[in-house]
Amino acid sequence: MFSRRDLEALAARRAPGSLSMFLPTHPRGPEQLQDRPRFGNLLDEAEAALAEHGLDKRAVSRTLFPARSLSGDDLFWRHQGEGLAVWASDGFFQCQRLALPVEELVVVGDRFCLRPILPLLQPDRAFHLLALSRNKVRLYEGCGTSLRELDLLDIPGSLNEALGYDYQEKSLQFHGGGGAVTFHGQGRGVDDRKQELGRFFRLVDDGVRRLLEGSHAPVLLAAVDYEAAIYRDVSRLPSLVPELLSGNPDEADPDDLHARALEVLSPRFERERRKALERFRNLAHEDRASSQLAEVVEAGRIGRIDTLFASPRTTSWGRPLERGLDIHAHRQAGDEDLVDLAVSLALGTGASVFDLREQEIPEASEVAAVFRY
């Protein structure tokens, strides 16, 4: 999983010759065959950029070695998302598949670049996905970038598996069912099969509630409509959302499930964004908010940013001064991406960070922030 904590750790790292590479990739289709050669071209560009930054040949080789090793990994290139990010320095390497397309980019500096993945930083994008059918049960932990299958522990993985359980032992898990749970086997009527599924789903629901105890992340159900209705009738899972990933999930690829889940849950995730935008607009004419890059960076340096909006595509080159910024129309030696600097500073002080979309805040071309005080 690629979490907010991972991003904060990347934002905190400082090392000369920190390399950030971003590549749009393809989960499937003939375009996927071009991903690996284009990655090789980015590595050549990165080698030149590292040398220009002042690293000697051995340091360049050490920095690029893990990334070059990926070029020969057939399995790696058969399983890609919409984008790929690589962060590397001498002695450090991290590679992450992304659930959004990114532009090709190579950046070398004294810290890692995070600006292109801003759309993934939206708060409250954590969720759980319960892929459920009579034949297979899977529970996933998801976020904006990935989906990770969880161990079911004592939750039965199918109806057939549940039929082998000792229900005198397991009946207490229903909390109030009254007596042992009984499953009826095959060859019975529609009502009996529906009751059998209900008992099975209730056992699954009880186990999921125990497993996710203390989590407030929404739980999205993936199931065929008929079985989803039965599960909802018996479920007491407080975080189960009304949205449904409709269809049989048994053979679904986790990447497809992840993409569809994000699409279904997007309106729910957008509510937090709308609240933050409204708060900025209410405070825009006070000292508690600003869309001036110099003011936002200065606020970030002293930990004053509460919420940051920043453009994932706009670059502003320059250097922080003791007071203010020295901003240049074109990159000069020693410059850094000031928009990315604002993102890094905000992440390092626990601020909420959102991508700034075109015309969302008309007066803000690069950044906008709400301050803590």
Side-chain angles (χ1 to χ4, degrees), residues 47 84 143 175 182 215 306 313 316:
E47 183 174 359
L84 181 68
C143 66
H175 303 299
T182 305
S215 170
D306 175 81
R313 293 182 174 85
S316 183

Side-chain angles (χ1 to χ4, degrees), residues 2-13:
F2 192 55
S3 66
R4 164 74 186 230
R5 187 176 301 173
D6 296 324
L7 289 167
E8 290 174 353
L10 284 170
R13 293 190 72 91

Side-chain angles (χ1 to χ4, degrees), residues 49-248:
L50 287 166
E52 185 179 340
H53 195 74
L55 272 69
D56 61 40
K57 288 185 177 181
R58 284 182 295 178
V60 171
S61 179
R62 288 194 300 267
T63 300
L64 292 179
F65 178 77
R68 290 202 183 279
S69 299
L70 291 178
S71 296
D73 190 334
D74 293 339
L75 183 61
F76 175 81
W77 290 104
R78 284 200 298 269
H79 297 276
Q80 288 300 314
E82 298 291 329
L84 181 68
V86 169
W87 295 279
S89 60
D90 195 354
F92 176 85
F93 178 79
Q94 184 166 337
C95 176
Q96 179 66 43
R97 296 182 180 93
L98 304 174
L100 84 164
V102 289
E103 297 178 356
E104 283 192 22
L105 182 66
V106 172
V107 179
V108 175
D110 292 334
R111 57 180 177 77
F112 292 128
C113 175
L114 301 174
R115 174 177 51 80
I117 60 169
L118 278 174
L120 300 176
L121 303 190
Q122 183 168 319
D124 295 333
R125 290 181 72 91
F127 65 93
H128 291 97
L129 175 68
L130 176 60
L132 180 68
S133 78
R134 69 185 67 204
N135 299 316
K136 186 182 291 187
V137 178
R138 288 169 293 163
L139 182 63
Y140 295 93
E141 181 182 54
C143 66
T145 59
S146 56
L147 197 65
R148 180 174 68 93
E149 188 169 358
L150 300 177
D151 190 335
L152 292 179
L153 299 180
D154 62 347
I155 303 172
S158 69
L159 178 58
N160 285 340
E161 183 181 327
L163 288 169
Y165 269 55
D166 180 353
Y167 285 98
Q168 294 293 336
E169 293 291 325
K170 294 294 181 181
S171 61
L172 293 176
Q173 297 177 12
F174 288 116
H175 303 299
V181 179
T182 305
F183 281 74
H184 293 294
Q186 305 300 316
R188 302 186 62 87
V190 172
D191 288 343
D192 289 324
R193 288 196 295 270
K194 182 176 179 180
Q195 290 179 11
E196 189 174 74
L197 270 177
R199 294 186 183 103
F200 167 49
F201 287 164
R202 208 170 148 203
L203 181 60
V204 170
D205 185 74
D206 201 62
V208 170
R209 284 191 294 116
R210 289 197 312 275
L211 196 59
L212 301 184
E213 186 176 4
S215 170
H216 301 289
V219 177
L220 176 65
L221 180 63
V224 297
D225 293 354
Y226 170 73
E227 294 185 349
I230 295 174
Y231 179 77
R232 290 190 189 281
D233 282 344
V234 302
S235 176
R236 292 182 290 167
L237 189 61
S239 49
L240 183 67
V241 298
E243 295 90 347
L244 174 67
L245 217 58
S246 183
N248 188 346

